[in-house]
Amino acid sequence: KAGVTQTPRYLIKTRGQQVTLSCSPISGHRSVSWYQQTPGQGLQFLFEYFSETQRNKGNFPGRFSGRQFSNSRSEMNVSTLELGDSALYLCASGQGSDSPLHFGNGTRLTVT
Amino acid sequence: AQSVTQLDSQVPVFEEAPVELRCNYSSSVSVYLFWYVQYPNQGLQLLLKYLSGSTLVESINGFEAEFNKSQTSFHLRKPSVHISDTAEYFCAVSERGKKSSGDKLTFGTGTRLAVRP
């Protein structure tokens, strides 16, 4: 079974631009979560989607948004990028709260 | 709400020595517990999990962790480490069996295990 796939692996953007990150979950997984990892703040939960509906949301500004498609693939969008948005963005897929999450290798976003 | 504390940000240890990485959690509800490992430039890999049953759980590469409800701890141990165990280790919790909580994980700040020859 293929693992969680995130594209692209690396991204460099300029302040003020917007960016879209993509995540393909493990086949059969209906839940997709997004996390931001930075040296200062560690791993922080962004949001979770299940069957195309946002089920949970973390404490991030509205510039961070996401969506999930009918095939469970998910995208995350960040608008009006700030320098502080530079981070590793990790996507994880799962089958429910009784089973562990499986993570992709992440997209490293650098904002200049 | 839950929180996870990993008191040791770095743990240096010599090869073949034993190691313990500490994890304590706080939660008003029952939780599931996980240890994830992250190698450089990679995502998180599940190392082991406690969902129910035996409080001692083991991984395929020699790590084990014991769930201690009274001390709200889930410490990770390995009797003899290898150079290849050098990585960052994250302890995480999620709410037990609550569909509305979904798959949200709360992570600790991580412990960097540095194995020296």
Side-chain angles (χ1 to χ4, degrees):
Chain A
K1 227 179 205 182
V4 178
T5 305
Q6 290 188 248
T7 56
R9 282 298 309 274
Y10 302 93
L11 210 47
I12 299 175
K13 290 286 187 180
T14 305
R15 265 186 309 175
Q17 288 186 313
Q18 71 146 17
V19 68
T20 299
L21 313 181
S22 181
C23 172
S24 293
I26 290 173
S27 178
H29 286 189
R30 295 167 64 190
S31 163
V32 174
S33 308
W34 289 89
Y35 291 80
Q36 182 196 65
Q37 185 178 24
T38 60
Q41 300 297 318
L43 283 152
Q44 292 189 287
F45 173 76
L46 280 155
F47 29 64
E48 183 218 355
Y49 288 85
F50 184 85
S51 294
E52 303 179 65
T53 301
Q54 188 179 84
R55 189 160 63 171
N56 277 296
K57 189 177 189 307
N59 296 322
F60 279 80
R63 300 185 298 106
F64 291 82
S65 64
R67 59 177 175 169
Q68 186 181 31
F69 302 95
S70 58
N71 62 358
S72 293
R73 191 178 69 85
S74 177
E75 288 183 346
M76 190 191 99
N77 185 275
V78 188
S79 62
T80 321
L81 284 166
E82 301 177 359
L83 295 178
D85 297 333
S86 294
L88 180 67
Y89 289 88
L90 293 166
C91 169
S93 74
Q95 296 172 298
S97 59
D98 291 353
S99 63
L101 293 182
H102 297 267
F103 284 81
N105 283 330
T107 294
R108 184 164 296 282
L109 171 65
T110 302
V111 182
T112 62
Chain B
Q2 303 93 40
S3 66
V4 179
T5 302
Q6 292 180 251
L7 287 173
D8 305 308
S9 59
Q10 292 189 58
V11 173
V13 62
F14 287 106
E15 194 173 19
E16 297 183 7
V19 71
E20 178 179 83
L21 306 184
R22 295 179 294 169
C23 171
N24 288 87
Y25 70 92
S26 172
S27 178
S28 56
V29 300
S30 296
V31 296
Y32 297 123
L33 295 151
F34 308 90
W35 275 98
Y36 283 87
V37 59
Q38 186 175 36
Y39 298 100
N41 298 316
Q42 292 187 26
L44 302 173
Q45 298 176 27
L46 179 67
L47 191 58
L48 44 75
K49 61 184 183 291
Y50 172 74
L51 302 181
S52 64
S54 173
T55 57
L56 182 66
V57 290
E58 299 176 351
S59 72
I60 57 173
N61 55 355
F63 283 96
E64 65 178 30
E66 186 159 20
F67 168 53
N68 188 317
K69 189 175 182 179
S70 62
Q71 297 185 8
T72 59
S73 67
F74 192 53
H75 302 328
L76 181 69
R77 302 184 185 95
K78 189 170 185 179
S80 176
V81 295
H82 303 288
I83 297 286
S84 59
D85 293 325
T86 294
E88 187 135 22
Y89 293 79
F90 292 92
C91 182
V93 302
S94 68
E95 283 190 22
R96 173 183 288 272
K98 187 178 174 186
K99 290 298 183 184
S100 61
S101 72
D103 284 341
K104 178 182 174 182
L105 284 173
T106 300
F107 285 92
T109 51
T111 298
R112 185 169 299 278
L113 176 63
V115 182
R116 304 169 179 174

